[in-house]
Amino acid sequence: MISYEITAFGEPLARSDRPTPAPAGREVLLRVLAAGVCHTDIHTWEGSYDLGGDKRLRMAQRGVALPLTLGHETVGEVVAAGPDAPRGLQPGQRFLVYPWIGCGECRICRRGRENLCAAPRFLGIFRPGGYSDHIMVPDARYLVGIGDLRPEQAAPYACSGLTTYGAILKIAPEVLAEEAVVVIGAGGLGLMCVTLLRALGCPNVVVLEPDGARRGAALAAGAHVAVDANADTALDQIRRAAGEVWAVIDCVGAARTVQQGMDLLTKGGQLILVGLFGGELSLSPALLPMRAISIEGSYIGNLEELHALMALVRERKPRAIPTACRCLDEAQSALADLAAGRVVGRLLLSPSPATPAQAFQP
């Protein structure tokens, strides 16, 4: 099994060659077909999140141990299953992997909200992920069918799709059906948000994004207007395009974008944060009740929501975001290009052709 691992935070990923593991219990071994490269991978590789004011949230504080194989947006095909796995699994079946796995024992997990578990076992963050030619999934229940979607098209739904879908679900149904929604940022996360808003019937999606190529991609994804975030009149342009702004989804999560989102909201409006860029800002607590606005964080989504999302994708066929595939051995350059802002849409890693799944011998 070939994997690309973090062995020291901030250092180049290291190739690891080790025997391909055999699944035990309810485990399922997949051969990786596509693995998305996400901004969360950059934070994990760098080793911390920026909390502003020279404060950092270190990965070690979160329980991340090295070496670690990144990759939480993974599609693979079944190679082998443990003796306690469901009998219906067959070699070659293709699945999207739900990576946001909890401890399985706490009250949060028992309520079906594993993504909020205080002792998570997320694939690609706390357990080996998809920057590899194989991935071990601890239970077949975390495998979600992809229908006739291409692996590179399906993989981003495990994170960017699920994250933005979970955020959209927090918008009041009448707002989603009748009002404009402003999306801040048109990276992989923001573009996915645009496509899902349109699939869910939002009548007017307005995007705020500084990069021209990404603004063009946002329009192609279904946005009605894409405004240059660096323009002096950016917020005025947003208000002209959207009217009263009842809902903003911030897919960047920087101090400046959060402030822009709050400034845009009408009285009673809602700002939903999903981006993790970082920094800090100051606000007046008195203005929150006076303006009756809400600021809410939204953290990925649960397994039930991923099943619902993939059903939506099959039924309504939202526009696919731009994707580009690279070989697994280009994982480091893919991270670097994403960090430098050179990516429009989603980069994915795909291993070289490997031994057919049916021929695997544990």
Side-chain angles (χ1 to χ4, degrees):
M1 183 171 79
I2 299 170
S3 305
Y4 282 82
E5 301 177 333
I6 303 172
T7 55
F9 293 119
E11 296 296 324
L13 301 179
R15 172 173 166 147
S16 167
D17 293 75
R18 59 171 60 92
T20 304
R26 297 181 60 84
E27 293 177 334
V28 182
L29 179 70
L30 303 183
R31 183 168 73 87
V32 174
L33 301 175
V37 181
C38 174
H39 259 282
T40 296
D41 296 336
I42 295 173
H43 294 300
T44 307
W45 168 56
E46 291 176 341
S48 64
Y49 288 92
D50 177 13
L51 300 182
D54 296 323
K55 300 184 294 291
R56 313 287 302 187
L57 174 60
R58 305 288 175 185
M59 291 302 161
Q61 295 172 267
R62 297 192 67 206
V64 175
L66 302 183
L68 171 67
T69 302
L70 292 170
H72 53 270
E73 294 183 344
T74 309
V75 168
E77 63 180 14
V78 174
V79 173
D84 300 326
R87 294 181 179 272
L89 287 174
Q90 297 295 326
Q93 287 181 299
R94 295 183 170 188
F95 293 101
L96 177 64
V97 179
Y98 178 79
W100 313 111
I101 298 169
C103 70
E105 299 176 356
C106 69
R107 285 182 296 176
I108 296 297
C109 288
R110 292 198 301 270
R111 293 170 185 163
R113 306 185 72 187
E114 291 187 66
N115 57 304
L116 302 181
C117 178
R121 301 183 297 160
F122 299 163
L123 302 181
I125 299 176
F126 300 102
R127 297 176 61 155
Y131 285 23
S132 178
D133 56 12
H134 290 81
I135 185 171
M136 187 69 78
V137 181
D139 194 300
R141 67 187 297 264
Y142 300 117
L143 301 179
V144 179
I146 65 170
D148 58 0
L149 291 179
R150 301 187 310 276
E152 64 273 17
Q153 182 183 356
Y157 286 112
C159 179
S160 59
L162 182 58
T163 295
T164 53
Y165 181 68
I168 294 168
L169 292 180
K170 292 176 170 58
I171 298 174
E174 62 274 16
V175 171
L176 186 61
E178 300 172 3
E179 305 290 345
V181 174
V182 175
V183 177
I184 299 180
L189 199 61
L191 293 178
M192 186 68 80
C193 191
V194 171
T195 68
L196 294 181
L197 283 166
R198 299 293 289 138
L200 287 164
C202 180
N204 187 6
V205 180
V206 181
V207 170
L208 186 63
E209 164 61 49
D211 183 85
R214 292 180 177 178
R215 290 198 300 275
L219 294 172
H224 295 80
V225 176
V227 173
D228 183 354
N230 289 330
D232 293 339
T233 60
L235 299 193
D236 289 335
Q237 292 180 58
I238 292 286
R239 293 186 186 99
R240 285 196 296 270
E244 290 188 330
V245 177
W246 286 90
V248 176
I249 300 177
D250 185 350
C251 296
V252 179
R256 181 188 182 204
T257 60
V258 175
Q259 186 64 60
Q260 288 174 321
M262 289 192 297
D263 291 344
L264 283 168
L265 291 178
T266 190
K267 190 171 185 177
Q270 179 183 22
L271 171 61
I272 304 169
L273 304 178
V274 297
L276 298 170
F277 189 88
E280 64 180 353
L281 72 160
S282 60
L283 58 85
S284 171
L287 289 178
L288 297 181
M290 289 173 66
R291 295 180 61 199
I293 62 174
S294 63
I295 302 171
E296 182 175 5
S298 185
Y299 193 55
I300 33 186
N302 60 40
L303 180 57
E304 181 180 353
E305 289 168 340
L306 182 57
H307 280 288
L309 170 59
M310 296 312 290
L312 173 77
V313 171
R314 289 191 298 270
E315 293 166 8
R316 303 193 186 178
K317 296 179 170 52
R319 300 181 190 184
I321 67 172
T323 57
C325 288
R326 296 188 185 179
C327 292
L328 178 60
D329 60 9
E330 297 180 81
Q332 183 61 53
S333 65
L335 278 177
D337 285 345
L338 183 61
R342 293 189 287 264
V343 177
V344 176
R346 200 48 133 203
L347 278 180
L348 296 110
L349 302 174
S350 180
S352 300
T355 303
Q358 294 87 339
F360 173 79
Q361 294 295 330

